[in-house]
C-alpha cells in the first residue's frame, strides 16, 4: 500500500494497544485518518483539528455515520467533532484527552513555533499516548539528487538523528518515554537510511505529575467547531 496508508495503519496499530477513549488528530486535513479511527469501538470521543477550515468544510460528510451503522450499533456512542484551530494554541476542551496523533504535521510548523506545539501537547493536554510522524530526511537520497524538500510547504525535514534528539528532549522535559518506529522501508543495502516516514510514539510516565499551565491563549475555548456528529 502507499506510504500514507501505511502511516494510518501504524497509528491504528499503536492506538489499538492503548484503546484510548478520547482521541484528537491534529492536522487532520481531509479527515482520512479520522474515518479509520472512527471504526474502532474503544473510541468514544474523536476530534479532528486543522488550521485550514476549507479542508474541514469539504470533509464534514466523512464524519457522518454510514447508513449501515444503524444496523450495527456501537457498544458505546461515539461523538466526532471537527475544529478549525492551531495546534500551537491550547483549548480547554482537550485537556483530558487520552491520545494525540500528529501525522506529517510538525514539518509544516515554523521552527520557532515548535515550542508552543510541545507545550500544548506535553504540558497542557498531557495525554497517555502521543504519536508523531514526520518525513525522514535521510531517506531523501532515494528520491532525488537535489535534496529539495518533499513538499513546498515543509519548513524543515529532519534526519533520524535530529528527530530522535528532539523527541528525547521532550521526554526529559515533560517526563515521557519515546519509542521510534517508521513506515516505508528502504531497499536492501540502504537499511541505514531508516524509514520513509519516521514515528515517535510517546507514553506518559507513570510518575508524571507535572502541573499543567494553559498556554497559547488567554481564552479557554479557542478552536471553532465546524461540524459534530454522534454515532
Ligand atoms: N495528517 C494528515 C494526513 O496524514 O493525511 C495531513 C497532513 S498535511 C501534510 C498537514 C496538515 O497540517 C494540513 O492539513 C495543514 O492545514 C495542517 N496544519 C498546518 N499547520 C497547522 C497548525 N498550526 N495547526 C493545525 N493544523 C495545521
Amino acid at each position: 500500500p502507499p506510504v500514507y496508508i501505511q502511516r494510518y495503519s501504524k497509528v491504528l496499530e499503536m492506538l489499538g494497544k492503548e484503546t484510548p477513549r478520547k482521541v484528537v488528530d491534529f492536522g487532520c486535513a481531509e479527515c482520512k485518518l479520522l474515518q479509520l479511527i472512527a471504526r474502532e469501538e474503544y473510541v468514544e470521543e474523536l476530534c479532528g483539528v486543522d488550521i485550514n477550515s476549507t479542508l474541514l468544510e469539504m470533509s464534514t460528510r466523512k464524519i457522518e455515520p454510514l447508513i449501515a451503522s444503524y444496523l450495527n450499533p456501537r457498544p458505546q456512542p461515539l461523538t466526532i467533532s471537527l475544529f478549525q484551530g492551531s495546534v500551537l494554541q491550547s483549548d480547554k476542551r482537550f485537556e483530558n484527552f487520552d491520545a494525540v496523533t500528529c501525522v506529517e504535521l510538525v514539518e509544516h510548523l515554523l521552527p520557532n513555533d515548535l515550542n508552543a506545539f510541545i507545550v500544548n501537547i506535553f504540558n497542557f493536554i498531557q495525554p497517555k499516548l502521543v504519536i508523531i510522524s514526520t518525513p525522514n530526511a535521510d531517506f531523501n537520497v532515494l528520491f532525488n539528487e537535489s535534496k529539495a524538500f518533499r513538499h513546498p510547504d515543509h519548513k524543515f525535514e529532519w534526519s533520524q538523528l535530529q528527530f530522535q534528539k528532539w523527541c528525547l528532549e521532550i521526554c526529559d522535559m515533560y517526563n515521557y518515554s519515546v519509542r521510534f518506529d517508521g513506515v516505508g522501508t528502504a531497499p536492501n543495502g540502504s537499511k541505514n537510511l531508516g524509514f520513509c516516514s519516521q514515528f515517535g510514539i510517546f507514553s506518559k510516565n507513570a510518575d508524571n505529575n507535572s502541573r499543567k499551565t494553559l498556554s497559547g491563549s488567554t481564552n479557554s475555548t479557542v478552536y471553532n467547531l465546524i461540524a459534530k456528529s454522534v454515532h
Side-chain angles (χ1 to χ4, degrees):
V3 179
Y4 80 94
I5 299 284
Q6 294 183 48
R7 282 196 285 266
Y8 301 158
S9 303
K10 179 63 71 182
V11 171
L12 291 170
E13 178 193 327
M14 296 303 135
L15 291 176
K17 289 184 182 166
E18 281 290 328
T19 63
R21 278 196 320 117
K22 297 180 170 205
V23 180
V24 51
D25 182 35
F26 284 107
C28 64
E30 297 99 349
C31 307
K32 293 201 192 97
L33 177 59
L34 279 190
Q35 282 184 293
L36 296 172
I37 300 176
R39 306 206 304 224
E40 302 292 326
E41 294 196 336
Y42 52 80
V43 186
E44 292 171 31
E45 194 168 343
L46 178 59
C47 293
V49 179
D50 202 286
I51 203 161
N52 184 333
S53 56
T54 313
L55 282 179
L56 297 176
E57 273 150 15
M58 285 180 348
S59 309
T60 54
R61 268 188 42 214
K62 293 190 193 157
I63 68 160
E64 296 295 332
L66 299 172
I67 302 289
S69 64
Y70 295 106
L71 302 172
N72 258 324
R74 302 174 60 89
Q76 307 289 337
L78 163 70
T79 307
I80 311 182
S81 316
L82 300 183
F83 290 92
Q84 186 275 327
S86 171
V87 69
L88 306 179
Q89 291 191 302
S90 299
D91 185 299
K92 190 86 185 140
R93 290 166 287 190
F94 290 81
E95 196 171 357
N96 44 11
F97 269 59
D98 305 306
V100 168
T101 57
C102 303
V103 176
E104 312 291 283
L105 166 65
V106 285
E107 67 278 6
H108 295 268
L109 305 177
L110 292 168
N112 278 339
D113 287 335
L114 286 173
N115 191 52
F117 168 87
I118 294 170
V119 170
N120 180 32
I121 292 175
F122 292 93
N123 180 262
F124 177 68
I125 304 179
Q126 281 192 37
K128 288 197 289 281
L129 173 68
V130 181
I131 302 171
I132 295 178
S133 86
T134 192
N136 161 20
D138 297 331
F139 203 89
N140 287 355
V141 293
L142 296 174
F143 295 135
N144 58 44
E145 295 296 318
S146 67
K147 300 235 172 111
F149 289 159
R150 295 185 199 174
H151 189 280
D153 188 51
H154 287 179
K155 307 302 188 289
F156 54 84
E157 288 177 357
W158 278 328
S159 68
Q160 297 166 88
L161 214 63
Q162 288 170 316
F163 177 60
Q164 294 180 11
K165 182 170 171 285
W166 182 73
C167 292
L168 291 167
E169 281 170 8
I170 293 175
C171 291
D172 272 355
M173 197 117 76
Y174 293 102
N175 201 0
Y176 273 76
S177 302
V178 68
R179 192 170 72 66
F180 299 105
D181 201 341
V183 299
T185 44
N188 280 335
S190 311
K191 296 287 181 206
N192 61 315
L193 297 177
F195 295 96
C196 180
S197 263
Q198 45 189 345
F199 275 74
I201 298 141
F202 298 79
S203 320
K204 189 176 179 177
N205 290 336
D207 64 346
N208 185 332
N209 299 310
S210 14
R211 265 198 330 138
K212 294 171 190 250
T213 51
L214 187 61
S215 76
S217 172
T218 50
N219 188 344
S220 60
T221 58
V222 289
Y223 305 159
N224 307 308
L225 183 67
I226 302 281
K228 183 170 179 158
S229 86
V230 179
H231 293 225

